[in-house]
Amino acid sequence: MTVELRHFRCFLAIADTLSVTRAAERLHLTQPAVSRTLRQLEQELGVRLVDRSTHHLALTPDGLSFRDQAAIAVTAFDRALGQARRAAWPLRLGHAWSAAGTYTTALLRRWHEEHPDTPLELLRIDDRTAGLARGDVDAALLRGEVRTPGLLTERLTTEPRVVGLPADDPLARRSVLSLADLADRTLALNSVSGITTLDLWPTAARPASTITIGNTDDWIAAITGGRAVGVTTSATAGMHPHPAMAYVPLADTPPVPVVIAWRDGPGHPRIPDLIRLAREALGGPDDEPPR
C-alpha cells in the first residue's frame, strides 16, 4: 500500500478531535472508512499512532511526534496547490499573544509598503510556538526561551514584566510591585502559551494558589472578574488595554526576550525580509547572528 495525503488528513482529523466519530463528520466519511484508513497508515508506518485501549482515544508518543510532521506535510501541499492557483503567496506570521506589542501596527504597515505583492497575515494561535512547529505559519513572534527542535530564532528585543490586576485592586494604586506583593494572591497561569510559572518566585514565597487558563482572553477575564492576578510583559499592556484592568511594573524580575522564529529548512522566500524588518521595527541589534 502507498501512503497518500488522505491518510495524513484522516490521522490529523482524529488527532484534532480525539474521536473517530467526529473525525468522520469532519471528513464527510463513514466511521468504518476512517478506522480503516488509520489502520492502513499505522500498518504502513509500522507504529501505533492512536491508543484505543480506553473509552477516549489518545495519541501515543509516536502519534504525538508524527502529528506535527503530518501537519507540516499537509500544509506544504495545500500551500503549493494554492500558489499554483493564485499569484500572491501570503507570508503567515504567528504569535501566541500580543504579537509585536506596540510595534505591531508599524511592522504590518511597513511590510505592506515595502512588499505590497506579498500579503503578511498575522495569526494568533494558542500554542507554545504559535503554530510554527506544526506548519500552520511560516514564522512566529515568540517570548521566552524557545527550545523546540527544528526551529531557528533571532532575538529582537526584551520586554519588562508587569502585573495585571483588577483596576479597583488596592495594589493597582502602586507605582511598582515586587514578587512578594503577590505571595498571598491567586495567580492566573496560561498553561498553553504563557511564559509565567511558579518558578519565577522563590520556593518559600510563591503565590498561595493558582488557576489555569488557556489564552489571553481568558486570562484577562479571570483578572477583571476578580478571580486572580497575573504576570505578563509590557506588550500585553499595550495590546490589551481594558477599563477594568490595571498593569503595574514588576520590579524584581528579569526582562523577557522577544524572538522571531522560523523552521530550519526550506520555507517562504520572504522570511529573510521579514526578519530584517522585524529587527528594524522592534529596535533589535543588527549585528546579532541568528541562533
Side-chain angles (χ1 to χ4, degrees):
M1 188 205 78
T2 301
V3 174
E4 301 173 359
L5 194 63
R6 63 184 179 88
H7 293 95
F8 282 33
R9 293 193 191 279
C10 179
F11 167 70
L12 289 174
I14 295 173
D16 287 345
T17 63
L18 294 180
S19 166
V20 171
T21 300
R22 290 194 293 272
E25 292 173 352
R26 176 183 296 188
L27 297 170
H28 304 291
L29 297 172
T30 65
Q31 294 182 38
V34 169
S35 296
R36 182 169 59 253
T37 303
L38 175 62
R39 285 197 303 272
Q40 290 172 347
L41 179 61
E42 290 180 322
Q43 290 170 1
E44 187 66 20
L45 295 177
V47 296
R48 191 177 185 186
L49 301 174
V50 177
D51 184 0
R52 310 171 187 79
S53 60
T54 64
H55 294 296
H56 300 285
L57 296 184
L59 297 185
T60 66
D62 286 327
L64 289 170
S65 178
F66 182 69
R67 178 182 57 187
D68 289 343
Q69 300 305 314
I72 290 173
V74 170
T75 300
F77 175 85
D78 291 342
R79 291 288 301 276
L81 190 62
Q83 176 63 13
R85 293 174 174 169
R86 62 186 181 186
W89 182 359
L91 176 59
R92 301 162 305 166
L93 176 62
H95 70 102
W97 46 276
S98 298
T102 56
Y103 300 101
T104 302
T105 299
L107 175 62
L108 296 177
R109 290 186 175 180
R110 282 195 58 187
W111 179 270
H112 179 66
E113 291 170 359
E114 296 185 19
H115 306 282
D117 296 332
T118 303
L120 179 60
E121 298 178 353
L122 184 66
L123 304 173
R124 193 190 98 177
I125 299 177
D126 296 315
D127 174 77
R128 188 66 59 186
T129 67
L132 181 60
R134 62 176 188 253
D136 290 343
V137 295
D138 302 296
L141 293 167
L142 304 174
R143 290 169 173 82
E145 297 296 328
V146 179
R147 300 187 179 92
T148 304
L151 300 187
L152 302 176
T153 66
E154 180 171 333
R155 181 166 167 167
L156 300 172
T157 186
T158 60
E159 295 170 347
R161 296 182 195 255
V162 299
V163 182
L165 300 154
D168 58 355
D169 191 295
L171 292 181
R173 297 193 292 268
R174 301 266 292 272
S175 61
V176 65
L177 294 172
S178 68
L179 291 172
D181 293 322
L182 309 179
D184 62 346
R185 298 302 188 93
T186 297
L187 184 70
L189 297 177
N190 183 342
S191 62
V192 176
S193 60
I195 58 169
T196 299
T197 69
L198 290 177
D199 291 336
L200 189 63
W201 280 260
T203 304
R206 290 176 174 173
S209 60
T210 64
I211 59 173
T212 301
I213 51 88
N215 57 59
T216 302
D217 295 336
D218 292 348
W219 183 85
I220 292 174
I223 294 171
T224 57
R227 297 177 58 210
V229 301
V231 174
T232 183
T233 75
S234 57
T236 305
M239 289 291 286
H240 300 283
H242 194 289
M245 183 89 133
Y247 295 96
V248 180
L250 187 60
D252 51 348
T253 55
V256 176
V258 180
V259 305
I260 186 167
W262 64 99
R263 289 187 297 278
D264 184 9
H268 197 291
R270 288 294 190 183
I271 287 177
D273 296 319
L274 179 61
I275 295 170
R276 173 189 58 79
L277 194 59
R279 185 191 305 126
E280 294 173 0
L282 274 70
D286 291 333
D287 57 352
E288 186 173 350
R291 296 185 297 278

